[in-house]
């Protein structure tokens, strides 16, 4: 299944994509793509529906983030061997974890705002894991049973805030609009091998990132297991798992960063695509 949320920001309704790629309304079935709806029982209830019997959503509404009421937005740094190489960083022995503020989450095609005083806003196409059932000290063998699905995330980052202003990475990862998520949550049964998905990101028509989830240092199963050793993961929590090479920070001989007027286009095989226009902060 491909589950989604559509409508004005803050007023999104739950939906499902039918076989023809049209949005069908789920508001009469679940209140949101969140919480119990992401459990095995909740997903089974949705899977039993015939989307053709659900109300058709007219037009092309705005898509919101594909998950509602996200409790934790956990991120993994330097998790692609080829990305670590381009930044000159040592391959980590254990996953590098940081948090993105949930207030950074926006829809997949919403505008991305360069923060006030930013000089180094960057892009990162990433595979995200959406938790469906509570995970606490889970084994690697059992990890995938806690996953409701996967989606695309653009882990937008301000590199000066992240690396040159002291403290942890969170401050460079959490600005408003720095977490485009979606277009939809894709359930695991639609993904033959989550560790073999092609990824790309273009900036204003120029291909910047080309990669595949096979070069992840720590795979999906291990990450769910590992993170659950340090915090309990709850339904609707999101883990974004790192980016392949081609970020602006790694450009040679001179890094390249986002500027107002740029457009990002990114996607992951089987999980859909995003498009964002970049604007300057006005406040």
């Amino acid at each position: 299944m491909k589950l989604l949320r559509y409508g004005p920001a803050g007023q999104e309704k739950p939906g499902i994509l039918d076989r023809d790629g049209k949005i069908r309304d789920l508001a009469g079935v679940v209140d949101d793509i969140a919480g119990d709806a992401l459990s095995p029982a909740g997903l089974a209830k949705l899977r039993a529906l015939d989307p053709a019997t659900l109300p058709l959503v007219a037009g092309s509404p705005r898509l919101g983030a594909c998950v509602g009421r996200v409790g934790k937005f956990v991120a993994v740094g330097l998790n692609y061997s080829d990305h670590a190489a381009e930044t000159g960083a040592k391959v980590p022995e254990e996953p590098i974890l940081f948090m993105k503020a949930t207030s950074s989450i926006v829809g997949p095609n919403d505008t991305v705002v360069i923060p006030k005083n930013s000089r180094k806003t960057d892009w990162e196409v990433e595979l995200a894991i959406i938790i469906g059932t509570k995970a606490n000290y889970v084994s690697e063998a059992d990890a995938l049973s806690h996953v409701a699905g996967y989606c695309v995330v653009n882990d937008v980052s301000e590199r000066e805030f992240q690396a040159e202003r002291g403290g942890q990475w969170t401050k460079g990862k959490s600005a408003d609009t720095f977490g485009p998520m979606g277009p939809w949550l894709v359930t695991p049964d639609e993904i033959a091998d989550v560790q073999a998905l092609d990824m790309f990101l273009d900036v204003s028509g120029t291909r910047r990132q080309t990669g595949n989830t096979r070069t992840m240092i720590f795979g999906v199963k291990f990450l769910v297991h590992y993170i659950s050793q340090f915090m309990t993961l709850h339904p609707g929590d999101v883990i974004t798992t790192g980016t392949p090479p081609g970020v602006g920070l790694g450009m040679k001989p001179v890094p390249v960063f986002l500027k107002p007027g740029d457009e990002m286009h990114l996607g992951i095989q089987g999980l859909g695509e995003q498009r964002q226009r970049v604007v300057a902060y006005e406040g």
Side-chain angles (χ1 to χ4, degrees), residues 83-143:
H83 171 54
E86 76 170 341
T87 63
K90 179 183 177 182
V91 172
E93 296 180 3
E94 293 191 37
I96 296 171
L97 304 182
F98 59 93
M99 307 296 281
K100 285 177 74 79
T102 56
S103 55
S104 71
I105 296 172
V106 291
N109 304 314
D110 287 348
T111 298
V112 166
V113 180
I114 296 176
K116 183 178 181 180
N117 300 320
S118 167
R119 297 187 301 168
K120 299 180 179 181
T121 296
D122 205 347
W123 55 84
E124 293 190 9
V125 59
E126 303 200 3
L127 166 77
I129 306 162
I130 298 157
I131 298 299
T133 57
K134 180 179 176 180
N136 180 237
Y137 297 115
V138 301
S139 67
E140 187 172 354
D142 189 47

Side-chain angles (χ1 to χ4, degrees), residues 47-245:
R47 193 172 287 112
L49 298 171
D50 179 359
T53 66
L54 299 170
L56 182 66
V57 177
S60 300
R62 169 191 173 270
L63 295 179
C66 58
V67 188
R69 305 196 298 268
V70 175
K72 290 191 287 297
F73 195 177
V74 186
V76 183
L78 295 175
N79 193 35
Y80 281 69
S81 55
D82 36 10
H83 171 54
E86 76 170 341
T87 63
K90 179 183 177 182
V91 172
E93 296 180 3
E94 293 191 37
I96 296 171
L97 304 182
F98 59 93
M99 307 296 281
K100 285 177 74 79
T102 56
S103 55
S104 71
I105 296 172
V106 291
N109 304 314
D110 287 348
T111 298
V112 166
V113 180
I114 296 176
K116 183 178 181 180
N117 300 320
S118 167
R119 297 187 301 168
K120 299 180 179 181
T121 296
D122 205 347
W123 55 84
E124 293 190 9
V125 59
E126 303 200 3
L127 166 77
I129 306 162
I130 298 157
I131 298 299
T133 57
K134 180 179 176 180
N136 180 237
Y137 297 115
V138 301
S139 67
E140 187 172 354
D142 189 47
L144 294 186
S145 69
H146 296 268
V147 174
Y150 305 99
C151 72
V152 182
V153 160
N154 188 353
D155 177 20
V156 186
S157 310
E158 212 299 340
R159 303 302 189 185
E160 183 181 19
F161 297 176
Q162 176 185 353
E164 301 172 36
R165 297 285 298 272
Q168 300 180 353
W169 290 6
T170 300
K171 67 174 71 172
K173 299 283 191 169
S174 295
D176 292 350
T177 76
F178 269 26
M181 187 179 296
W184 30 75
L185 179 162
V186 180
T187 51
D189 55 291
E190 294 206 10
I191 305 298
D193 184 355
V194 73
Q195 300 299 160
L197 302 179
D198 290 328
M199 315 165 72
F200 77 91
L201 184 145
D202 299 340
V203 178
S204 298
T206 298
R207 180 59 48 91
R208 293 300 190 186
Q209 289 187 275
T210 301
N212 189 286
T213 56
R214 71 171 60 94
T215 69
M216 288 172 67
I217 298 165
F218 305 104
V220 167
K221 287 193 295 184
F222 183 80
L223 288 174
V224 174
H225 150 71
Y226 181 85
I227 295 169
S228 79
Q229 310 305 305
F230 301 97
M231 64 191 81
T232 299
L233 297 169
H234 294 279
D237 285 351
V238 175
I239 303 168
T240 192
T241 61
T243 198

Side-chain angles (χ1 to χ4, degrees), residues 30-48:
V30 292
D31 69 335
D32 203 353
I33 306 301
D36 290 342
L38 300 173
S39 69
L43 294 177
K45 178 181 177 180
L46 297 179
R47 193 172 287 112

